[in-house]
Amino acid sequence: MPTPDPRAFVLFHGWRSSASRRVRLVLAEKGLAYESRLVDMLRGDQHSPEYLAMNPNGVVPTLLHGDRVLYESSVVAEYLDELYPEPPLMPADAYQRALLRNFVRWIDEACLPKLIVFNWSQSMQPSASQWSEAQLAERLARVPSAQRREAWTRVARKPYTDEEKAEAMQGLLQLPQRMEAMLGASLQGWLFGAGFSIGDIAATPFIMRISELKPGAIEALPRVADWWQRVRARPSFTAARIEPYAGSRAAEASAGG
Ligand SMILES: N[C@@H](CCC(=O)N[C@@H](CS)C(=O)NCC(=O)O)C(=O)O
């Protein structure tokens, strides 16, 4: 059981956001309760001055732990794991931890931009394409990163083409392919070391989306298929509400990448 801590957790998140899903998985694995604050990304809540004061990157999730403000899902995950060591979610071995951190960084830098192509086309484009030029300019002025200004401009004005989507899917599929090789090399059932870890958690929302966007892709990789079955059987998967992207409950207010 986690050590009692007087500081309460408040999570600013989106049900469908991959990074938010990671943090909810860690909270669930640790048995930590939190107050949920949904961020309406379509409305631009993540770019409001109040939100940017907490998270200057203008993205979800942000976790408050009492008066402490935490952001970047992988950083939040490690913070929680250090503070609440049971059950451990980082490998005991330093080299495995180094490999894990590089894997998570690769997902963030290489896979997330590709997932956005699909998620934003589905969740943001229908509304964003209706914005006037003035509305779009006002929105873009508050987006702190050039990469995300570009993504918002694309869904508002220049929808991703089928060719770009096919290319993004090829890129995304590198994740399960890489995992198949990793699971084959480790033969321990999990991506890093002997136990379920933050590495497995980081990949989970992406494998969920790939399984929805490309039916059969996960089943075609026997070790990943077996891993995926075991991940979904964990109580944390249900507690964290890793639900179908188009599902009614998850599709409420917040969109997500
Ligand atoms: N590296 C960040 C990525 C967070 C992120 O990109 N969040 C997306 C949802 S998954 C978001 O807030 N998108 C809204 C926007 O960019 O305006 C993390 O891991 O926390």
Side-chain angles (χ1 to χ4, degrees), residues 44 46 110-111 121 139 159 178 204 218 227 255:
Q46 73 281 24
C111 301
S121 297
R139 296 290 297 263
R178 198 168 158 178
T204 292
I218 302 305
W227 172 92

Side-chain angles (χ1 to χ4, degrees), residues 49 70 73 104 135 147 160 216 245:
L70 300 134
S73 59
V104 175
Q135 281 172 318
Q147 191 202 46
Y160 294 107
Y245 198 78

